[in-house]
Amino acid sequence: MLVTVITCVGLVLTALSAVSALRFARTGGTRIPANAIAWGVVFALLQAFIAIWSGIGLVESDLLSALVLNVVLTGCAWAGFNRARVSERALALVGPEGRLPHPLVASVLLLLVAGFFAVLGLEVPSNHDITWMYPLCLMLEWALVTAVMAGAFLIFQRRGGISAGIALVLHVIGIAEYFVVLFKSMPITPGDLTALSTAAAVAGTGYSYTLSAFCLYGMACAAVSMTLLQVAGILRPERSRRTRRGLVVNLAVGLALIAGVAAHVTLIDYYHTLNIQVYTWRPLESYYRQGFLPSFISGAQTIRPPRPDDYTVEGAEETIEEYATAYDEGAGSSESRAAAESQFSEEQPTVITIMNETFSDLSIYQQLHAGYTGPEYFKGMSDCLSRGKLYVSAYGGGTANTEYEFLTGNSMANLGSGVYPYTIYNLQDTENLAAQFKDLGYDTVAMHPNHATNWNRENVYEDFGFDRFLSIEDFQDAETLRGMVTDQATYDKILELLDTNSNPQFIFDVTMQNHSGYNTGLMPYDKQLNLSIDGMTNSEVNEYVSLIQESDRALENFIGQLSRLDRKVIVVFFGDHQPFFPSTFNDLWFTDEDEATHQERLWQTDYVIWANYDVAGNDQTSEVDDLSTNFLGAKLMELIGAPMSDYQKALTSLRDAMPAINSAGYCDAQGRWYLTGSSVEGGDAAQQAMEQARGDYAVMEYYQMFYDGRDIYTKRYQSAANETDPNLAPGTTKIK
């Protein structure tokens, strides 16, 4: 409320400045120019926005930031409305009798300062300690922003409006970065731009868009930048002194500046030449230390998958064949595998895979200093085919990358930072579990109780070979929790599919119940779990663990029903990533360990593979096998005796030397973890074998995804080409 009062007072003063300017103009027998009104109104609108936003409780109550912002906005608005007086005083400072020898010199100085304040407007909302940035990276970002703004300034003949718009856009990006970091503990990456529709679909669910004090400081910086650009525009030559030569020179220099920036960001390798790297395991630190623009540009340059050294199609095929042969001659020729193969061929069990939204066991963080023991039923399942830690390539968000790794066997570790294959690459010929089961005569169904367009799933699932995709339209009357379809509702839909179709099925269920944010206050009282973390209550943690408790109950009920079912069923259950907040506990409570182990704790969930019948060749005693998501599909096929592709056999063999790999790191056969980007030179036999396996995997994956690398990007986005089949249930999407 305090911010609202201060801002309203600021608005009154802004209005008075407009009245003052009107009187001054009338005294001189003139009118306020339209461009002066436009400049003043822009700052008044920013002030009005803060007044409204704070009035509904969405601005942090901070006296100093509110005062600073309103003093700046009122001052900037005054300068806009009183453009004539500002012009008179500014022009008095230049020329023979002024302090500066030429208006152009003053304009250049103003552009340099405006560029710096524009950088602050971008960085300050999320990067609260600008002194933490590397000085050279700060200078680079300043140079990029200033060059673009100066280019626009000159192209439009030394008018500041467009350049001021650039400063405002940068600030808006800074605000967006603040909220993305707040909700996901991850920065904005180039890949996020290809998933804007997904972000928009979930943006209004469970999130509170409260502007912090630093957001207000950032807005003040952006306003200062815009006003400096206005003054720079005032200093352009009078109409009578403008020449055609001056127009051409301005245009040429402006275009040269823009072209120079374009050439710089496309021709200079930020990663290798400038050593600006976004570390996958700690991207936020990369953005904070290197700046938003340098980090974003580096990520954009590496979004195209790196072609392995000395890669050839023939060599990749030979590598896959060698690893597959090793499997056939080893584990693939065992009696247990033969028994499982024979049983699978006769029985063809239905395979249900459940990727549970944000399902993880946070008891790994010293029981949250609250005696929290995690999901009780899930952890107590003792009759599984296999279970263990699951090392994923997503943290706080990025669900689609986990399902991509599971379905394809490919790892995000080989694709770089900030990449979302579902929205970027051409996946039409990518080997995957759905197509594999379809070739075995299975009916294939994908389900996700949200929009089919999220993460471009409607097109990807079509390319992968799913017969049907059940999306939010199929869950119109389903039970919800916090406004999201419950896990139990998706399990009921699966049971319905089993009841109405006796054919063997491959069902892929991507749940939605536990999606962030976790400060909605919408958990029913009887479902709430309240923890006291070091004697304090954390509403986000409590809402999250309450959701996990509900997921655990739903899983217990579902497994119980499947146990009584008169048909053979396999269940694969795993979490896609952790929520966004455990990094705080990780850094606070785990201080004496190596960096790789420290970071990998954030990038793990859990999995189980369970069957409601005795699988031949397996004791079904919940053998623990920690692995990464990209190996989980091959593990499933091996355990249940399903036919395995050469690639899956190769991945299984590969695990002898490298049991797990994700975008954060990789481990050797002795369980030692190494961060992505690090390299083991020499080392013992286990380390050398791991390095060889890692290189071979990169070659095999590139072959699986891109073959010869000519056609890597997706040909279709978010199309409306899917048709509705009248023979299907209402709202069901038919995958052609």
Side-chain angles (χ1 to χ4, degrees):
M1 195 64 185
L2 181 64
V3 176
T4 307
V5 172
I6 293 173
T7 307
C8 288
V9 171
L11 268 173
V12 171
L13 294 175
T14 296
L16 290 176
S17 72
V19 173
S20 173
L22 180 61
R23 290 176 177 173
F24 180 80
R26 287 179 177 176
T27 300
T30 60
R31 295 181 178 180
I32 301 179
N35 57 355
I37 295 175
W39 281 101
V41 166
V42 167
F43 298 114
L45 288 175
L46 289 175
Q47 229 167 357
F49 167 74
I50 295 299
I52 295 171
W53 213 244
S54 62
I56 58 177
L58 293 178
V59 176
E60 180 182 332
S61 182
D62 180 81
L63 176 62
L64 181 60
S65 61
L67 285 172
V68 169
L69 176 61
N70 280 281
V71 167
V72 169
L73 288 179
T74 296
C76 291
W78 181 92
F81 290 128
N82 291 274
R83 183 181 175 90
R85 279 188 271 187
V86 173
S87 176
E88 181 180 337
R89 296 177 185 178
L91 292 173
L93 295 175
V94 299
E97 299 179 359
R99 296 181 181 179
L100 296 173
H102 195 281
L104 184 58
V105 175
S107 294
V108 170
L109 292 175
L110 287 169
L111 283 168
L112 289 172
V113 179
F116 184 73
F117 274 96
V119 168
L120 294 179
L122 168 65
E123 292 287 347
V124 167
S126 63
N127 193 357
H128 303 332
D129 186 3
I130 203 74
T131 62
W132 206 43
M133 281 184 66
Y134 296 128
L136 291 178
C137 289
L138 178 58
M139 291 179 65
L140 173 60
E141 188 166 50
W142 181 20
L144 291 172
V145 170
T146 302
V148 171
M149 290 170 58
F153 180 78
L154 292 171
I155 288 172
F156 287 90
Q157 299 305 306
R158 294 171 65 175
R159 293 180 175 88
I162 299 300
S163 299
I166 293 172
L168 184 59
V169 168
L170 288 173
H171 174 60
V172 171
I173 293 172
I175 295 293
E177 172 80 343
Y178 164 72
F179 284 123
V180 171
V181 170
L182 181 65
F183 299 147
K184 294 173 53 180
S185 291
M186 298 287 281
I188 295 174
T189 64
D192 291 325
L193 302 184
T194 65
L196 288 177
S197 62
T198 300
V202 300
T205 308
Y207 297 117
S208 176
Y209 293 88
T210 302
L211 296 174
S212 70
F214 287 98
C215 292
L216 302 191
Y217 289 133
M219 184 177 292
C221 291
V224 170
S225 176
M226 295 165 69
T227 296
L228 291 173
L229 290 164
Q230 177 194 187
V231 176
I234 288 174
L235 296 177
R236 65 195 176 109
E238 297 177 1
R239 185 180 299 274
S240 61
R241 298 179 60 185
R242 297 173 199 165
T243 65
R244 182 172 299 178
R245 178 185 176 185
L247 185 150
V248 173
V249 170
N250 286 339
L251 188 61
V253 175
L255 290 173
L257 285 170
I258 299 296
V261 171
H264 171 83
V265 301
T266 54
L267 299 179
I268 294 180
D269 188 337
Y270 272 43
Y271 188 95
H272 296 98
T273 304
L274 301 183
N275 200 34
I276 296 175
Q277 306 174 15
V278 179
Y279 296 107
T280 308
W281 63 90
R282 190 170 279 184
L284 265 181
E285 181 177 325
S286 299
Y287 272 63
Y288 289 162
R289 299 301 296 269
Q290 300 168 160
F292 178 88
L293 288 180
S295 299
F296 188 88
I297 292 168
S298 178
Q301 290 180 345
T302 57
I303 203 168
R304 183 181 179 92
R307 188 183 182 100
D309 295 337
D310 303 321
Y311 173 85
T312 64
V313 170
E314 295 76 13
E317 291 173 339
E318 290 176 3
T319 302
I320 294 174
E321 183 178 356
E322 289 174 5
Y323 277 97
T325 300
Y327 174 80
D328 286 335
E329 294 175 351
S333 61
S334 65
E335 292 183 4
S336 59
R337 172 63 184 172
E341 285 179 337
S342 176
Q343 183 188 47
F344 181 88
S345 178
E346 293 179 6
E347 304 290 350
Q348 285 200 304
T350 283
V351 177
I352 301 167
T353 58
I354 301 166
M355 190 177 77
N356 195 272
E357 173 66 42
T358 324
F359 185 91
S360 63
D361 177 15
L362 296 192
S363 68
I364 63 173
Y365 297 98
Q366 298 180 3
Q367 296 188 338
L368 294 178
H369 287 194
Y372 176 65
T373 56
E376 182 179 348
Y377 173 76
F378 174 82
K379 295 177 72 172
M381 294 176 68
S382 59
D383 57 345
C384 304
L385 298 172
S386 181
R387 69 175 307 142
K389 297 176 182 177
L390 184 69
Y391 294 97
V392 299
S393 292
Y395 174 73
T399 296
N401 283 356
T402 300
E403 66 178 271
Y404 169 78
E405 287 189 322
F406 169 69
L407 289 171
T408 67
N410 298 324
S411 175
M412 297 304 303
N414 296 318
L415 297 178
S417 175
V419 173
Y420 300 111
Y422 273 19
T423 62
I424 297 172
Y425 299 136
N426 178 0
L427 302 177
Q428 287 179 304
D429 298 319
T430 301
E431 180 180 311
N432 68 88
L433 288 173
Q436 196 170 356
F437 277 104
K438 189 177 179 67
D439 288 343
L440 293 173
Y442 277 60
D443 293 338
T444 56
V445 180
M447 66 171 64
H448 176 58
N450 211 291
H451 301 293
T453 55
N454 285 4
W455 293 115
N456 196 33
R457 285 189 178 98
E458 61 178 355
N459 290 320
V460 172
Y461 288 165
E462 176 184 346
D463 290 343
F464 277 5
F466 282 103
D467 298 317
R468 298 170 63 191
F469 176 21
L470 309 181
S471 59
I472 189 62
E473 287 79 8
D474 300 275
F475 293 87
Q476 291 299 309
D477 299 320
E479 176 190 28
T480 61
L481 183 61
R482 303 180 312 142
M484 301 183 194
V485 175
T486 63
D487 291 355
Q488 185 61 57
T490 68
Y491 302 159
D492 290 343
K493 183 69 69 173
I494 293 173
L495 292 170
E496 180 184 324
L497 291 173
L498 298 180
D499 185 55
T500 57
N501 185 354
S502 60
N503 295 335
Q505 299 179 65
F506 173 68
I507 301 171
F508 183 52
D509 176 17
V510 180
T511 70
M512 190 67 186
Q513 172 188 290
N514 304 331
H515 197 283
S516 60
Y518 305 113
N519 202 19
T520 67
L522 298 177
M523 285 295 297
Y525 180 79
D526 61 338
K527 298 181 185 297
Q528 291 179 14
L529 185 62
N530 295 304
L531 304 180
S532 177
I533 302 174
D534 289 333
M536 300 180 66
T537 297
N538 186 311
S539 59
E540 288 185 319
V541 173
N542 282 336
E543 184 165 318
Y544 173 77
V545 296
S546 298
L547 289 167
I548 296 304
Q549 181 174 258
E550 287 306 301
S551 288
D552 197 44
R553 290 171 178 168
L555 178 63
E556 181 178 14
N557 179 60
F558 184 50
I559 294 297
Q561 293 187 70
L562 293 179
S563 299
R564 298 186 293 272
L565 202 64
D566 188 24
R567 63 185 293 177
K568 291 180 171 55
V569 175
I570 302 287
V571 174
V572 184
F573 180 97
F574 60 98
D576 57 347
H577 55 72
Q578 292 184 25
F580 59 84
F581 51 76
S583 58
T584 301
F585 306 134
N586 198 41
D587 292 340
L588 186 63
W589 298 334
F590 298 88
T591 57
D592 187 22
E593 60 185 355
D594 66 275
E595 185 69 6
T597 301
H598 185 75
Q599 293 303 324
E600 280 296 342
R601 187 176 293 106
L602 300 171
W603 300 79
Q604 69 177 60
T605 60
D606 297 274
Y607 81 94
V608 295
I609 302 176
W610 175 88
N612 69 346
Y613 67 99
D614 293 329
V615 176
N618 190 286
D619 293 333
Q620 221 151 315
T621 56
S622 296
E623 175 191 2
V624 175
D625 183 15
D626 298 337
L627 45 74
S628 47
T629 322
N630 55 302
F631 294 137
L632 182 58
K635 177 75 174 180
L636 163 69
M637 302 302 273
E638 180 186 33
L639 285 175
I640 67 176
M644 299 172 67
S645 68
D646 283 348
Y647 187 49
Q648 289 170 332
K649 293 177 181 178
L651 294 182
T652 305
S653 293
L654 194 78
R655 292 195 62 221
D656 292 338
M658 187 177 65
I661 181 173
N662 61 8
S663 59
Y666 48 96
C667 73
D668 63 24
Q670 296 184 14
R672 295 171 296 193
W673 278 93
Y674 308 86
L675 291 174
T676 297
S678 62
S679 180
V680 181
E681 300 292 341
D684 57 30
Q687 292 170 326
Q688 293 180 32
M690 175 196 64
E691 285 296 305
Q692 179 65 47
R694 191 161 69 108
D696 290 342
Y697 185 26
V699 168
M700 293 189 292
E701 179 172 331
Y702 193 92
Y703 173 83
Q704 287 293 117
M705 289 189 67
F706 311 120
Y707 188 63
D708 59 6
R710 294 180 182 178
D711 181 21
I712 67 171
Y713 295 112
T714 188
K715 299 174 182 176
R716 297 177 290 116
Y717 288 94
Q718 313 294 356
S719 74
N722 295 328
E723 298 176 355
T724 300
D725 188 331
N727 296 318
L728 299 178
T732 300
T733 301
K734 177 183 179 182
I735 306 297
K736 298 182 292 181

